[in-house]
Amino acid sequence: MKRLPKFLLSAAMVATMATSFSAVKAATPPDTLVQAWQIDDIITLDPAEIFEFTASEIAGNTYERLINYDPKDVSKIYGEVAESWTVSPDGKTITFKIREGKKFASGNPLTAEDVAFSLQRAVILDKSPAFILGQFGLTKDNVKDKIKQTGPYEVTMELDKAYAPSFVLYALTSTVASVVDKKLVMQNEKDGDLGYNWLKTHYAGSGPFSIRDWKANEVVVLERNPNYDKKTPLARVIYRHIKETATQRLLLEKGDVDIARNLNPEELAAVSKDPNIEVDSGAKGTLYYLGLNQKNPNLAKPEVRKALKYLVDYAAIADTIMKNKAEVHQAFLPEGFLGAVNENPYKLDVAKAKELLAQAGLKDGFTVTMDTRSTADITAMAQAIQQTFAQAGIKLEIIPGDGKQTLTKYRARQHDIYIGQWGADYQDPNTNADTFAANDNNADNASAKPLAWRNAWDPGPLTAKTRAAVMEKDPEKRAQMYKELQQAVLDDGPYVIFLQQIENMAMRKNVDGVVIGPSFDTNSVAQAKKN
């Protein structure tokens, strides 16, 4: 069969999937998995810049990292691009042996040169996730000296301190540590940008699938990578942007899509009764929270920060809007992480909140805005919080927007309150401590921009305590350090953390092998198939 050109294949596939509701019964092609999902948070396809949920999952299925872990047992770390590694006696240098014989989707061989280039490039570009590598003392100026190719299949990484080795390895499982095809990327470099402008919308990886096409707020098409070590059962995977959950349900019931990703509790309960559909679920290291911008003079008052923590009906949201999709959790480390605090000290207490507001000189309340991504669950939670805030005299104005709009505003510190999700970038507790409890520079022009920075919060001594925790090699002592950090943030931090996510996928029963991983980038379709 004659192969269609790229743009024709994408158009044809999209047209095939866009079946009219009036069709009698549509079935997706047997070699194609079609997912209905709200994907309007995709900003870039460059692993050095990706920092959003959808794009991270796509990267996890299209790129490989130096290190990875078993999604069913995160304590089991293994080499993906790396075959093995050794740590120097002083604990400050890690030497990686790179697997031989690997190829990128382009056909170019994957060597140590690509690994060193990929990590250097991420630090030099200094986009949002670069801090994950930068926390080891890597900068634009020194990274080419600190991360070096020392043989055709050997790379060394020199750290500024002797960190706990597991901390470093888990950091290298993050999306920003994905290995890109140096030859292909540099063929598309312009004005010294290391291929950045090209890779925002193109692909240069070695993972199970390649990215065939992306049309913003419409579709992402993945296609089997013929050079991947283990052939994928499916020829392609399509993510369709379907904003309305009711539409997702209809498409799933008709067979026009194989998986629906955003169904609400009522819709999940309904489709679970369909003999052709089953619902799979898994706990995620993802938190729902409010970020309170400390540039707002009212939100900057400690009594107000605490008052808002007493103005959320945690149990009601978990039991209704997010039934079977999340559970109440208020500390910044998700359950399952080393040192996680699983006690929840706050509950809806309007009288207590009013008392605190009066102490802050705001007994009559105040007006404030909340930037809200226009998904069904986020909007519903925002509206529920709006109602409970009002009980204490706080008038909350909801400002809706798509994922890109709300994130862009939030990252520029231009919000009052932001409601959203935060997913762990890697499976070490520092991933959340470093963003919720540390902020080295609170200036507007700071290079590192963790959540504390986004909310203009200087955590004071917590930053130093966070830095000390990554040096502690005794697991019990380290866990205690994180418990103390979580308690301090629970008491005074500019966040109202209220839920930990349980992810649900409603899928046709002929779909098998989809993995719901513990992190937002570990949902895998690499070995998915249709029976």
Side-chain angles (χ1 to χ4, degrees), residues 166-480:
S166 60
F167 164 46
V168 182
L169 295 173
Y170 276 122
L172 292 174
T173 69
S174 61
T175 300
V176 74
S178 300
V179 180
V180 303
D181 184 337
K182 179 182 178 180
K183 183 177 180 181
L184 180 59
V185 169
M186 294 305 287
Q187 284 174 347
N188 292 281
E189 182 185 38
K190 288 187 178 180
D191 302 321
D193 72 347
L194 296 176
Y196 167 69
N197 285 298
W198 178 80
L199 200 53
K200 281 177 73 75
T201 56
H202 291 82
Y203 171 72
S206 61
F209 291 94
S210 60
I211 302 174
R212 180 74 177 181
D213 195 17
W214 167 41
K215 292 182 173 65
N217 294 350
E218 184 179 338
V219 69
V220 176
V221 181
L222 310 185
E223 190 173 69
R224 178 190 289 138
N225 172 9
N227 295 322
Y228 186 62
D229 301 339
K230 188 176 180 180
K231 181 181 177 181
T232 62
L234 294 168
R236 67 189 60 84
V237 175
I238 296 176
Y239 298 87
R240 290 184 57 193
H241 177 59
I242 306 294
K243 183 177 178 179
E244 296 79 14
T245 62
T247 305
Q248 289 192 18
R249 174 186 170 183
L250 287 172
L251 291 171
L252 179 67
E253 290 174 333
K254 287 170 57 63
D256 289 344
V257 302
D258 301 299
I259 301 177
R261 299 288 296 273
N262 300 111
L263 301 189
N264 64 36
E266 294 77 14
E267 289 160 344
L268 287 169
V271 299
S272 65
K273 298 174 183 177
D274 188 321
N276 297 309
I277 297 171
E278 62 183 17
V279 177
D280 195 8
S281 63
K284 309 292 285 190
T286 300
L287 304 173
Y288 292 87
Y289 74 104
L290 308 182
L292 315 176
N293 193 342
Q294 299 302 282
K295 289 189 173 188
N296 181 304
N298 289 332
L299 300 178
K301 297 179 179 181
E303 299 90 350
V304 173
R305 294 198 293 269
K306 182 152 284 192
L308 297 188
K309 295 173 185 178
Y310 285 109
L311 286 174
V312 174
D313 196 339
Y314 303 88
I317 292 173
D319 293 343
T320 56
I321 299 167
M322 298 298 287
K323 185 178 181 180
N324 298 323
K325 297 180 70 176
E327 57 188 8
V328 176
H329 188 84
Q330 296 174 354
F332 68 67
L333 279 182
E335 184 175 357
F337 276 68
L338 176 72
V341 170
N342 297 316
E343 294 77 24
N344 301 310
Y346 298 104
K347 62 180 180 179
L348 180 64
D349 189 336
V350 177
K352 180 68 173 176
K354 285 183 174 180
E355 179 184 325
L356 288 163
L357 290 172
Q359 292 174 16
L362 295 166
K363 66 181 180 65
D364 296 322
F366 58 95
T367 299
V368 70
T369 64
M370 179 188 285
D371 289 287
T372 305
R373 184 183 175 198
S374 297
T375 63
D377 53 358
I378 294 291
T379 298
M381 286 188 284
Q383 291 170 343
I385 292 168
Q386 182 184 49
Q387 293 171 8
T388 50
F389 274 22
Q391 294 178 36
I394 297 174
K395 183 179 180 182
L396 180 64
E397 178 189 349
I398 294 173
I399 302 177
D402 65 24
K404 182 176 180 179
Q405 290 169 334
T406 55
L407 277 171
T408 300
K409 186 176 179 181
Y410 184 39
R411 290 172 178 170
R413 309 209 288 190
Q414 295 174 351
H415 64 296
D416 282 342
I417 299 177
Y418 171 84
I419 179 172
Q421 297 166 271
W422 179 263
D425 293 303
Y426 47 93
Q427 295 297 310
D428 185 272
N430 185 68
T431 184
N432 278 13
D434 185 55
T435 199
F436 281 94
N439 185 5
D440 293 298
N441 182 357
N442 200 35
D444 286 341
N445 63 352
S447 56
K449 299 177 179 179
L451 291 188
W453 178 91
R454 288 189 199 177
N455 290 288
W457 184 51
D458 181 354
L462 299 188
T463 298
K465 291 181 179 181
T466 299
R467 303 290 173 249
V470 298
M471 306 304 297
E472 179 54 60
K473 294 179 173 58
D474 184 308
E476 290 187 10
K477 291 179 180 178
R478 193 167 181 233
Q480 183 58 36

Side-chain angles (χ1 to χ4, degrees), residues 7-220:
F7 70 93
L8 289 177
L9 175 61
S10 298
M13 290 309 306
V14 172
T16 299
M17 296 307 115
T19 308
S20 166
F21 286 146
S22 61
V24 176
K25 184 73 175 179
T28 59
D31 64 351
T32 301
L33 184 74
V34 185
Q35 303 192 49
W37 198 16
Q38 188 160 354
I39 61 173
D40 60 359
D41 63 331
I42 301 178
I43 295 172
T44 178
L45 299 179
D46 187 339
E49 187 177 29
I50 289 172
F51 214 42
E52 298 75 40
F53 288 100
T54 306
S56 294
E57 176 175 323
I58 290 167
N61 285 283
T62 55
Y63 283 89
E64 294 181 287
R65 293 88 184 270
L66 196 59
I67 304 293
N68 216 323
Y69 59 85
D70 184 343
K72 296 181 180 178
D73 184 353
V74 299
S75 68
K76 294 180 179 178
I77 298 175
Y78 65 90
E80 190 165 67
V81 169
E83 183 175 273
S84 60
W85 59 87
T86 56
V87 181
S88 63
D90 67 359
K92 294 173 67 174
T93 301
I94 304 179
T95 301
F96 297 95
K97 182 180 179 183
I98 308 305
R99 295 184 188 275
E100 298 186 33
K102 294 184 73 67
K103 287 184 178 181
F104 290 102
S106 67
N108 294 329
L110 191 163
T111 69
E113 183 179 6
D114 298 290
V115 173
F117 169 78
S118 300
L119 299 177
Q120 292 169 0
R121 178 179 181 270
V123 173
I124 292 168
L125 288 176
D126 197 25
K127 302 301 177 183
S128 293
F131 75 90
I132 297 172
L133 301 175
Q135 63 192 333
F136 303 118
L138 302 171
T139 68
K140 294 180 182 181
D141 296 328
N142 71 18
V143 68
K144 289 188 176 180
D145 293 324
K146 299 296 184 181
I147 298 179
K148 294 185 291 188
Q149 177 186 1
T150 49
Y153 291 94
E154 184 179 278
V155 172
T156 59
M157 181 177 180
E158 183 182 341
L159 316 173
D160 60 338
K161 298 175 184 176
Y163 299 97
S166 60
F167 164 46
V168 182
L169 295 173
Y170 276 122
L172 292 174
T173 69
S174 61
T175 300
V176 74
S178 300
V179 180
V180 303
D181 184 337
K182 179 182 178 180
K183 183 177 180 181
L184 180 59
V185 169
M186 294 305 287
Q187 284 174 347
N188 292 281
E189 182 185 38
K190 288 187 178 180
D191 302 321
D193 72 347
L194 296 176
Y196 167 69
N197 285 298
W198 178 80
L199 200 53
K200 281 177 73 75
T201 56
H202 291 82
Y203 171 72
S206 61
F209 291 94
S210 60
I211 302 174
R212 180 74 177 181
D213 195 17
W214 167 41
K215 292 182 173 65
N217 294 350
E218 184 179 338
V219 69
V220 176

